[in-house]
Amino acid sequence: MSYKKEFIEFMVRAGVLTFGDFTTKSGRKTPYFVNTGNYKTGAQADKLGYFYASCIIENMAKGMISENIASLFGPAYKGIPISVATAIAMSREFDRDINYCFNRKEEKDHGEGGKMVGYKLQDGDSVLMVEDVITAGTAVRETLPQLMAAAKVKVEGLIISVDRMERGQGQKTAIQEIEEEFGIKTYPLVTVREIIDTLYNKEVDDKILIDDFVKERMEEYLERYCVQQQ
């Protein structure tokens, strides 16, 4: 759990986690926003890889994720730098040299060809997907056929930055739908509930980001759009 508070503050300082008035792609008015496209420096990429690696190691220790992951897989585009940064952190911080690969949006018709770049997947490999966030599970649905076309692999799970805990079109979250549809469990670094608990009336660089007013707005949003976890 030690990395969670640090990760939340890291997102704030990187301008990735912000508070105010935003509108999601689905048209929902939200008091907070997570934009991982705001990561832009080498130091941020380095730190982000460490947080993802920490989440993986934590869940390996719990027996939730296999110790024998053959490769990380980062769906294009935002998953690409995450997979590379995480593989570097796994090697440097945790002495685990792990492969990585990612897909192209369009198939290359010259050179080595194909849609996959990096480690060449083999039948029977266990693969761990790394992505920024899940909204509707579109990236998973698009890239799974590419993974299965490359080799008969087992997808161990999916690591994401933040679980917004929001319902999709039905009464379940996209994370729950992906687990039901594909049998893939998602492991978020943090949930929106952990963000509230960590930042409520707490200063980050001498500024309180979630005061009583912001917390009330976030609680109202969770009540309206999110699946309440037991």
Side-chain angles (χ1 to χ4, degrees):
M1 293 290 290
S2 59
Y3 67 88
K4 291 180 179 286
K5 178 179 181 292
E6 187 182 356
F7 177 61
I8 291 167
E9 293 178 352
F10 166 74
M11 287 193 292
V12 169
R13 293 186 174 112
V16 169
L17 173 60
T18 53
F19 302 88
D21 294 295
F22 309 95
T23 302
T24 66
K25 287 183 180 179
S26 61
R28 296 172 178 173
K29 303 293 184 181
T30 174
Y32 78 102
F33 195 65
V34 178
N35 179 14
T36 58
N38 279 348
Y39 293 125
K40 52 187 174 290
T41 72
Q44 288 170 345
D46 181 50
K47 198 69 174 175
L48 184 62
Y50 164 74
F51 289 125
Y52 269 75
S54 296
C55 181
I56 293 170
I57 293 298
E58 177 185 68
N59 283 288
M60 280 183 173
K62 293 178 180 177
M64 304 296 290
I65 295 176
S66 171
E67 296 272 349
N68 300 312
I69 298 295
S71 181
L72 302 175
F73 170 72
Y77 289 103
K78 289 182 179 178
I80 295 174
I82 295 174
S83 67
V84 177
T86 304
I88 292 171
M90 290 288 286
S91 173
R92 184 181 59 208
E93 303 292 339
F94 301 103
D95 197 27
R96 291 174 182 262
D97 193 18
I98 190 168
N99 299 302
Y100 68 86
C101 61
F102 51 87
N103 65 307
R104 296 185 175 96
K105 285 287 190 178
E106 296 180 0
E107 188 164 0
K108 188 177 180 182
D109 59 4
H110 60 280
E112 78 280 9
K115 278 196 171 185
M116 301 295 291
V117 181
Y119 172 69
K120 185 175 177 58
L121 295 168
Q122 307 292 321
D123 289 349
D125 279 349
S126 289
V127 176
L128 188 62
M129 296 179 69
V130 290
E131 181 64 294
D132 59 344
V133 295
I134 289 182
T135 302
T138 303
V140 175
R141 291 181 174 87
E142 287 180 349
T143 55
L144 271 178
Q146 294 181 36
L147 278 173
M148 298 308 174
K152 295 177 181 178
V153 300
K154 176 186 178 183
V155 180
E156 272 294 324
L158 171 63
I159 310 293
I160 61 171
S161 289
V162 179
D163 178 5
R164 290 181 60 99
M165 299 165 58
E166 292 187 32
R167 290 190 296 270
Q169 295 181 347
Q171 296 302 308
K172 296 180 179 178
T173 67
I175 285 175
Q176 292 170 332
E177 290 171 353
I178 286 171
E179 184 170 5
E180 283 193 359
E181 189 173 346
F182 301 109
I184 299 173
K185 188 170 179 59
T186 299
Y187 304 92
L189 273 67
V190 295
T191 67
V192 64
R193 174 57 61 195
E194 288 170 330
I195 288 173
I196 294 172
D197 292 344
T198 298
L199 295 181
Y200 176 53
N201 280 339
K202 305 287 176 54
E203 291 186 354
V204 178
D205 299 335
D206 301 320
K207 184 177 181 180
I208 293 178
L209 299 165
I210 302 183
D211 56 16
D212 289 342
F213 176 71
V214 175
K215 183 175 187 294
E216 183 179 357
R217 292 187 65 208
M218 293 185 73
E219 293 291 357
E220 289 173 354
Y221 187 83
L222 264 65
E223 181 67 28
R224 184 173 183 181
Y225 295 117
C226 297
V227 174
Q228 302 302 313
Q229 298 180 350
Q230 301 298 323

